[in-house]
């Protein structure tokens, strides 16, 4: 951490436009290959999120960008400059962790100033920049407070101010909200977005939380097992998942196996195991899904795209219901397997054991490879 805090480069932000990861891989002796040939191009000023389950390699990627971990192979470029083997303190990186890693016995201002003091910045300049950074994270009046007197949310803001004060090329945030309770998480999310909007600093955010990723990011890379499954804007990730994994990891999704039984006029007809058929626009598929008669596909159907309707083609029995305020999350045992559905509060919710018929909102169905 100390290496990074010294990561000061005085004066103006250097012109670093793009962060490129080129076939970046990392193996650990026991864990094996945990980052598998990752290619990414993160644009200047983006709020970019690495999203995936625990252990998929997110932190390892971030640590390689920061210089805290050496890649096994591949390259990291800041603009045209190859920084793959540069020491952390020459990269101009601001890093914020889940556990704030502050000095508890020092004041807020001293914690924030630390990286500048290491670099022997003038006292006057330090004062100005610390005040500006604390204002940016809405802690303007707390400079003299001791860190161990602050709440968790405030401590996380100090950590953020400490990262921003060095005017980093890249702000790296590793699950920064995980230790905060739900309400503080919401507030801190809004604050992070505001800081990003104001400073324009390229931000790389790591989370396993799909809601954070969808709500905050310009673009998201979804990872599993060290591999990138999709890089796209939040809406595209949600509505047009590239793989079955992405569809299942984000939102409440039903992955239903089906067979292509018709192809005409730009439409595709698929048949489910219960023989019911559904016709879609043939564009409703992930890149790389070839359509041919008899081909097996997986139809991704969001829980909110299945509705209870007397003339629906899928018969089932309501097996479970969980009230969630804005609606109810239900499980229906059907002849195509267990299906997740969302029933809005405006609709009378069925009771457990009741038989129901389900209709699929065809325009919301998306086909992926099995
Ligand atoms: P994530 O941040 O997505 O939860 P990590 O990047 O921390 O995942 O870890 C990816 C995998 O690499 C895990 O299996 C983890 O145990 C392993 N790993 C991470 N750091 C080390 C290390 N320093 N030594 C050995 N294995 C590690
Ligand atoms: Mg991690």
């Amino acid at each position: 951490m100390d290496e990074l805090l010294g990561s000061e480069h005085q004066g103006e932000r250097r012109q670093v436009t793009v962060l490129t990861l080129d076939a970046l891989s990392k193996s650990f002796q026991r864990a094996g290959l945990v980052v598998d040939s990752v290619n990414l191009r993160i644009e200047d000023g983006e709020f970019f999120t690495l999203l995936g389950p625990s252990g998929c390699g997110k932190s390892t990627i971030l640590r390689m960008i920061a210089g805290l971990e050496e890649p096994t192979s591949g390259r990291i470029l800041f603009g045209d400059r190859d920084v793959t083997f540069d020491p952390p303190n020459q990269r101009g990186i601001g890093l914020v962790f889940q556990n704030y890693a502050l000095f508890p016995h020092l004041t807020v201002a001293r914690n924030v100033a630390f990286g500048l003091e290491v670099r022997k910045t003038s006292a006057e300049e330090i004062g100005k920049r610390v005040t500006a950074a604390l204002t940016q994270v809405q802690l303007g009046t707390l400079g003299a407070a001791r860190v161990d007197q602050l709440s968790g949310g405030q401590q996380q803001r100090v950590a953020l101010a400490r990262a921003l004060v060095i005017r980093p090329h890249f702000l790296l945030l590793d699950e920064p909200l995980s230790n905060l309770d739900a309400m503080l998480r919401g507030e801190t999310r809004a604050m992070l977005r505001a800081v990003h909007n104001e400073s324009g600093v390229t931000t790389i955010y790591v989370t396993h939380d799909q809601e954070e990723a969808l709500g905050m990011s310009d673009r998201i890379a979804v990872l599993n097992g060290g591999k990138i499954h999709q890089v796209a804007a939040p809406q595209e990730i949600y509505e047009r998942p590239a793989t079955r994994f992405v569809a299942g990891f984000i939102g409440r999704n039903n992955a239903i196996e089906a067979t292509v039984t018709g192809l005409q006029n730009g439409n595709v007809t698929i048949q489910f195991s219960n023989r019911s058929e559904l016709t879609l626009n043939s564009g409703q598929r992930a890149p790389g899904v070839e359509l041919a008669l008899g081909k097996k596909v997986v139809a991704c159907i969001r829980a909110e795209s299945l509705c209870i309707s007397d003339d629906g083609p899928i018969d089932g029995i309501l097996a479970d219901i969980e009230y969630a305020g804005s609606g109810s999350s239900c499980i229906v045992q059907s002849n195509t397997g267990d299906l997740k559905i969302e029933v809005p509060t405006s609709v009378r919710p069925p009771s457990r054991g009741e038989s129901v018929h389900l209709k699929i909102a065809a325009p919301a169905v998306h086909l992926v490879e099995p």
Side-chain angles (χ1 to χ4, degrees):
M1 190 67 210
D2 290 6
E3 306 166 275
L4 267 172
L5 288 172
S7 171
E8 159 67 350
H9 44 92
Q10 318 244 350
E12 295 304 300
R13 263 183 84 194
R14 257 176 284 156
Q15 279 302 305
V16 173
T17 46
V18 175
L19 170 64
T20 308
L21 306 184
D22 176 19
L24 195 67
S25 294
K26 179 70 185 179
S27 297
F28 289 112
Q29 211 145 50
R30 289 194 44 208
L33 190 62
V34 302
V35 175
D36 187 358
S37 199
V38 162
N39 291 299
L40 272 182
R41 194 188 139 92
I42 298 172
E43 304 295 334
D44 190 31
E46 259 194 305
F47 195 115
F48 191 93
T49 296
L50 302 174
L51 172 67
S54 174
C56 75
K58 306 178 297 292
S59 295
T60 304
I61 294 173
L62 215 63
R63 291 171 58 79
M64 289 193 283
I65 296 170
L68 300 172
E69 203 76 74
E70 201 168 279
T72 307
S73 61
R75 295 188 311 157
I76 300 168
L77 303 173
F78 289 2
D80 295 332
R81 186 178 134 219
D82 186 331
V83 301
T84 313
F85 299 105
D86 285 3
N89 62 8
Q90 281 170 28
R91 297 192 186 199
I93 293 277
L95 188 53
V96 177
F97 298 102
Q98 171 180 345
N99 60 356
Y100 324 117
L102 299 170
F103 303 112
H105 55 285
L106 294 185
T107 65
V108 168
R110 285 293 308 285
N111 266 278
V112 176
F114 186 81
L116 300 177
E117 287 172 358
V118 168
R119 291 292 306 237
K120 312 224 183 317
T121 309
S122 76
E124 189 191 355
E125 175 73 8
I126 290 178
K128 264 194 273 181
R129 282 169 64 171
V130 168
T131 304
L134 286 176
T135 306
Q136 220 173 353
V137 301
Q138 298 158 18
L139 283 181
T141 58
L142 284 178
R146 267 172 57 137
V147 156
D148 53 10
Q149 295 165 334
L150 304 184
S151 69
Q154 289 170 325
Q155 291 188 23
Q156 191 56 294
R157 286 170 192 233
V158 177
L160 182 61
R162 182 181 59 182
L164 289 167
V165 81
I166 65 160
R167 296 181 183 153
H169 295 316
F170 300 106
L171 178 62
L172 310 186
L173 305 167
D174 195 349
E175 313 245 8
L177 309 184
S178 305
N179 285 352
L180 307 179
D181 64 40
M183 199 148 109
L184 261 179
R185 268 207 300 276
E187 284 174 19
T188 312
R189 254 157 73 165
M191 195 262 310
L192 280 173
R193 272 206 310 278
V195 163
H196 176 255
N197 283 341
E198 278 165 29
S199 67
V201 62
T202 308
T203 302
I204 306 169
Y205 188 89
V206 160
T207 184
H208 65 274
D209 183 318
Q210 47 158 319
E211 233 182 86
E212 281 175 22
L214 293 173
M216 299 180 76
S217 318
D218 293 320
R219 285 191 305 152
I220 300 171
V222 183
L223 288 131
N224 191 32
K227 277 198 168 72
I228 291 188
H229 277 236
Q230 186 169 15
V231 181
Q235 194 173 351
E236 177 150 353
I237 297 266
Y238 190 83
E239 292 176 7
R240 303 177 55 80
T243 66
R244 188 171 179 166
F245 172 78
V246 174
F249 189 69
I250 292 158
R252 286 183 81 224
N253 186 64
N254 296 289
I256 308 176
E257 300 195 352
T259 307
V260 175
T261 53
L263 283 169
Q264 56 200 329
N265 305 329
N267 289 333
V268 53
T269 301
I270 57 172
Q271 188 182 67
F272 298 111
S273 62
N274 70 353
R275 303 254 158 226
S276 70
E277 290 193 323
L278 191 66
T279 296
L280 317 170
N281 186 301
S282 57
Q284 290 174 241
R285 66 185 204 268
V289 176
E290 303 281 347
L291 296 179
L293 291 178
K295 168 98 182 7
K296 301 270 186 231
V297 292
V298 166
C300 297
I301 307 172
R302 297 285 175 200
E304 68 270 20
S305 304
L306 279 174
C307 68
I308 294 175
S309 166
D310 287 342
D311 60 352
I314 302 173
D315 303 331
I317 291 186
L318 191 100
D320 193 26
I321 181 163
E322 206 174 90
Y323 179 68
S326 60
S328 298
S329 301
C330 306
I331 303 283
V332 172
Q333 276 167 358
S334 80
N335 49 12
T336 63
D338 281 3
L339 299 174
K340 299 167 204 156
I341 70 167
E342 291 290 327
V343 179
T345 296
S346 54
V347 174
R348 180 194 70 81
S351 330
R352 247 187 218 96
E354 201 175 314
S355 82
V356 292
H357 305 282
L358 300 179
K359 201 154 105 181
I360 300 171
V365 175
H366 184 72
L367 303 179
V368 297
E369 285 290 334

